[in-house]
Amino acid sequence: MLTDGFVERAHRVMSEGTATLRVDVGHLGAGAPMFVALYTPAAAPIAGMVICPPLQSEFLVNYRREVLLARMLAARGFAVARFHYRGTGHSYGEDRDVTFGSMRRDAMEVASWLRVHRGVDVVAMLGTRLSALTAAAVASDRAEPIVVWEPIVEGDEYFREVFRFARMSDLARGADRAPIDEVNVAGSTDVVGFRIDRALVDSFRGRHLAALLGDGSPPVLLVQMDLTQRLRQEFAAFVDVQTRRGSEVDVLSVKGKEAWWFPGTQSRGSAQARNRVTVEATCDWLFRHVPAEAPR
Amino acid sequence: MIVDGADSRPEEIPVFLDAAGESLFGIVTIPAPRRSDALSIVLPAGATVSIDRNRVGVRLCRRLADLGVPSIRFDYHGVGESDGDAQRFRLDEPFDADLLGVVAWARSEGIERFVLIGSCFGARTAMASADRISGIEAIVLLAAPVRDYEMGDRVATSLAAGSDLSLHAHRALGRGAGVLRDPVKRRVYARYVRTALLGLTRRAAHPDRRRHPDVSPHFLASLAELGRRSIPTLFVYGTEDALWHEFLDARSGPLASTLADAPSIEIATLEGSVHGFKTIGIQDAAIDLIADWLGRIPTDVTPSFG
């Protein structure tokens, strides 16, 4: 059925705890449509949330946690949209076309659609890793709550880290490449089987989480996953900037390090424990930050 | 009912389907035009969503659609968009109920012919389920492990299976107390020790089998069944896959007679490591190989291919 730009292809009603919710999956938008999964509560939603997935390996690692969060939030009254950026996941489009700009446009399109067609005034954003930057760019427009899981606070540093990792992986298997040179000369490189394009790298140059949130920035929940409870240096610096701006920043430290570039290698038990803590705390925080005038 | 896609871009239709009481999620790719009535079922490698590394799952389905072949990729229970909880992925406990659920759903859509394409855990799930699926036209098995182990324990059990007593003692003494304190490491190490002891016992009893890995009885039985039914089967390994070397060892031992009696079973290798698809080159090569091989299936078996 074609309604409001969303072509719903399958749906189901499911239970989450004592609540009932509906899941619709389909495609949204023109051109190369995006894969979207929409989770709605049985009653009118109290608010909306858009979940922006990370990219590459991190997309696979974070996938289940995003599904579990969407289900739990819908059970607690939120209308939640999960989506895959154009050129990623189940969406149509080409991976070489993915940039900060295209990601922001896709996230904004989903947020606008949720607001207009699902009747929610407040649409919170969630972004993990690189998607924290795109989620921030969207959330700052209306100063609505934003959750960032293990965010990248600086685009340049992220790709430096990725290329360092690629170099180490190459050395481990006896290969000798310079991924950054490949990106600059050939336009793309291979990082343990994931394609990284120059357009993507260039588009994140100079992007900073704090700058994208801007002045008058929204309340933020930052989730760190690490072996230590101590806040990492880059997160501490981000919190400091936001606090000086008068923005509310809450921090949740989840014990356990995520192997972001090694999908499927961690024990199911530890991943599930980390998922549970992260999802429950995120739900609680969001519920507290939905404006009081929202119907409950 | 599945109908042909309307334009040149393959149409992708998300579906929810029931498998042993759990709701599984899948995406059907409909080619336009459609040249085959057989549905290719793509089974993920394990605890990863059907999209797989660098969209290998998605790209494979869309490539098959270019050949006019419809397909479905799906998430196992407890993974991705599907319901349920999957605590572990053991090769001797494949998720056959999930695959049989997909097949039952397809039959309810009027589809009676299938191609199974599985990688690692997915390959073993396809093999284990094949005897309960009629209408299989072909099977592609990528990096199929010949031994039984729990996903994540391959290296530990492989080391244990191939070592001598002094090496085990060195490893045990070198572990330190950290292993015993960590429950996950303790479990992995316990499996290592069990496998090592079992291997030592077996090698003592059968010195002639020293070179051969402990081939899974499930693998052997499934392989024999594929051969008996003359189902066109393609094993694909990477030359750098440890799984390939285990397969090679087994081929000169426990698998020898079964493979000799099964001309329908082919074996192909690609340069590099197919297991985990850890380079884009190997991903592209594997997709090309699958598409090419399916296109060459004899026309009396799949008249609508190619």
Side-chain angles (χ1 to χ4, degrees):
Chain A
M1 185 172 64
L2 180 63
T3 54
D4 53 46
F6 178 61
V7 185
E8 182 250 291
R9 288 328 256 293
H11 73 269
R12 60 184 290 250
V13 174
M14 65 176 291
S15 298
E16 175 72 22
T18 57
T20 300
L21 58 107
R22 179 183 163 107
V23 185
D24 294 272
V25 289
H27 291 97
L28 176 70
M34 281 180 280
F35 173 83
V36 172
L38 174 68
Y39 302 73
T40 44
I46 59 172
M49 160 148 256
V50 173
I51 297 177
C52 305
L55 300 180
Q56 317 290 2
S57 176
E58 298 169 347
F59 171 86
L60 300 176
V61 170
N62 210 47
Y63 203 103
R64 186 66 171 174
R65 189 156 44 219
E66 293 174 358
V67 171
L68 297 176
L69 175 68
R71 290 175 180 172
M72 186 176 282
L73 275 174
R76 293 183 65 172
F78 281 71
V80 184
R82 293 179 39 251
F83 71 103
H84 299 168
Y85 295 109
R86 288 181 168 88
T88 73
H90 292 304
S91 289
Y92 291 97
E94 299 297 327
D95 47 9
R96 62 176 174 269
D97 297 330
V98 179
T99 62
F100 173 79
S102 76
M103 292 166 69
R104 181 171 61 179
R105 276 195 301 278
D106 290 348
M108 288 183 84
E109 187 177 344
V110 176
S112 300
W113 170 77
L114 191 65
R115 201 184 310 279
V116 171
H117 296 289
R118 289 300 179 269
V120 284
D121 291 331
V122 176
V123 175
M125 302 295 294
L126 182 142
T128 301
R129 303 290 287 162
L130 206 55
S131 268
L133 298 172
T134 46
V138 177
S140 64
D141 275 359
R142 294 173 56 115
E144 288 169 332
I146 174 170
V147 179
V148 286
W149 286 348
E150 279 283 298
I152 299 303
V153 296
E154 189 191 335
D156 303 67
E157 177 54 30
Y158 173 72
F159 285 105
R160 273 196 292 274
E161 187 187 309
V162 168
F163 294 137
R164 267 198 303 269
F165 167 73
R167 199 94 168 98
M168 295 304 292
S169 301
D170 287 347
L171 287 172
R173 62 188 181 92
D176 187 20
R177 288 189 309 147
I180 186 69
D181 292 342
E182 283 189 6
V183 165
N184 289 331
V185 175
S188 71
T189 191
D190 179 341
V191 178
V192 291
F194 293 95
R195 179 182 161 126
I196 306 281
D197 282 279
R198 181 176 178 172
L200 181 72
V201 178
D202 287 349
S203 71
F204 273 92
R205 287 228 163 88
R207 308 279 182 195
H208 294 266
L209 185 59
L212 287 163
L213 285 168
D215 291 327
S217 64
V220 180
L221 171 64
L222 186 154
V223 178
Q224 169 180 285
M225 298 169 198
D226 212 328
L227 297 174
T228 170
Q229 298 283 310
R230 189 166 5 125
L231 200 57
R232 291 208 293 276
Q233 194 177 357
E234 72 268 25
F235 292 164
F238 167 75
V239 171
D240 187 47
V241 168
Q242 292 301 103
T243 306
R244 279 193 274 114
R245 278 173 160 169
S247 168
E248 178 189 348
V249 184
D250 291 310
V251 174
L252 170 70
S253 188
V254 179
K255 193 163 185 203
K257 199 151 180 73
E258 200 65 85
W260 289 112
W261 282 82
F262 296 95
T265 56
Q266 290 192 311
S267 84
R268 300 285 288 170
S270 62
Q272 285 170 341
R274 203 160 44 247
N275 286 352
R276 190 174 57 250
V277 172
T278 306
V279 164
E280 285 176 0
T282 300
C283 271
D284 290 344
W285 185 87
L286 279 167
F287 208 72
R288 287 200 306 276
H289 285 81
V290 171
E293 63 268 25
R296 291 173 188 256
Chain B
M1 224 12 222
I2 292 176
V3 295
D4 286 351
D7 56 31
S8 59
R9 180 171 64 191
E11 188 180 5
E12 299 214 310
I13 304 176
V15 294
F16 289 112
L17 57 95
D18 181 76
E22 304 280 13
S23 175
L24 301 189
F25 173 80
I27 290 199
V28 182
T29 305
I30 312 282
R34 192 167 54 171
R35 297 194 188 92
S36 171
D37 292 330
L39 179 72
S40 289
I41 302 175
V42 179
L43 295 93
T48 188
V49 291
S50 59
I51 294 161
D52 210 336
R53 190 179 291 252
N54 203 35
R55 303 172 93 194
V56 168
V58 178
R59 291 191 286 134
L60 173 60
C61 289
R62 292 178 183 173
R63 176 65 176 278
L64 292 176
D66 290 343
L67 301 174
V69 179
S71 64
I72 181 171
R73 56 184 184 270
F74 71 97
D75 295 339
Y76 293 123
H77 71 274
V79 177
E81 314 274 346
S82 292
D83 269 4
D85 185 19
Q87 287 291 339
R88 58 188 192 176
F89 292 78
R90 288 179 56 116
L91 293 168
D92 57 353
E93 295 174 8
F95 290 178
D96 44 358
D98 289 7
L99 175 55
L100 295 174
V102 174
V103 169
W105 169 84
R107 289 197 199 283
S108 74
E109 294 284 328
I111 297 164
E112 295 294 341
R113 299 192 299 144
F114 306 97
V115 172
L116 307 181
I117 304 171
S119 175
C120 190
F121 181 84
R124 289 292 300 274
T125 298
M127 290 178 75
S129 314
D131 63 344
R132 283 161 287 167
I133 302 172
S134 60
I136 297 178
E137 305 246 315
I139 300 191
V140 181
L141 303 164
L142 299 136
V146 297
R147 293 186 298 115
D148 287 337
Y149 54 83
E150 184 168 346
M151 306 310 285
D153 285 357
R154 179 179 61 80
V155 174
T157 56
S158 173
L159 287 170
S163 308
D164 62 21
L165 187 58
S166 60
L167 198 53
H168 294 312
H170 173 76
R171 280 181 181 139
L173 293 171
R175 292 277 147 175
V179 169
L180 300 176
R181 278 199 298 272
D182 184 320
V184 175
K185 288 181 182 170
R186 195 165 60 224
R187 186 179 54 77
V188 171
Y189 192 62
R191 187 177 295 280
Y192 170 93
V193 170
R194 275 199 306 278
T195 310
L197 290 173
L198 192 64
L200 287 169
T201 311
R202 285 183 181 165
R203 282 194 293 277
H206 304 282
D208 57 312
R209 284 171 51 187
R210 194 174 178 84
R211 282 189 64 241
H212 306 307
D214 295 317
V215 175
S216 159
H218 309 287
F219 185 97
L220 267 173
S222 302
L223 188 70
E225 171 70 6
L226 295 176
R228 189 189 62 75
R229 288 166 66 185
S230 299
I231 294 175
T233 301
L234 177 66
F235 280 95
V236 183
Y237 292 95
T239 52
E240 294 174 14
D241 285 330
L243 296 171
W244 164 238
H245 297 285
E246 292 183 4
F247 182 86
L248 274 179
D249 286 346
R251 190 169 70 169
S252 63
L255 303 184
S257 61
T258 307
L259 290 171
D261 293 340
S264 60
I265 296 175
E266 296 177 45
I267 299 158
T269 55
L270 296 171
E271 281 296 316
S273 178
V274 168
H275 189 223
F277 295 122
K278 288 178 185 161
T279 67
I280 296 171
I282 207 82
Q283 295 161 12
D284 293 343
I287 291 172
D288 286 346
L289 177 65
I290 294 167
D292 183 55
W293 186 77
L294 288 177
R296 286 190 287 108
I297 295 290
T299 53
D300 58 329
V301 179
T302 53
S304 49
F305 269 103

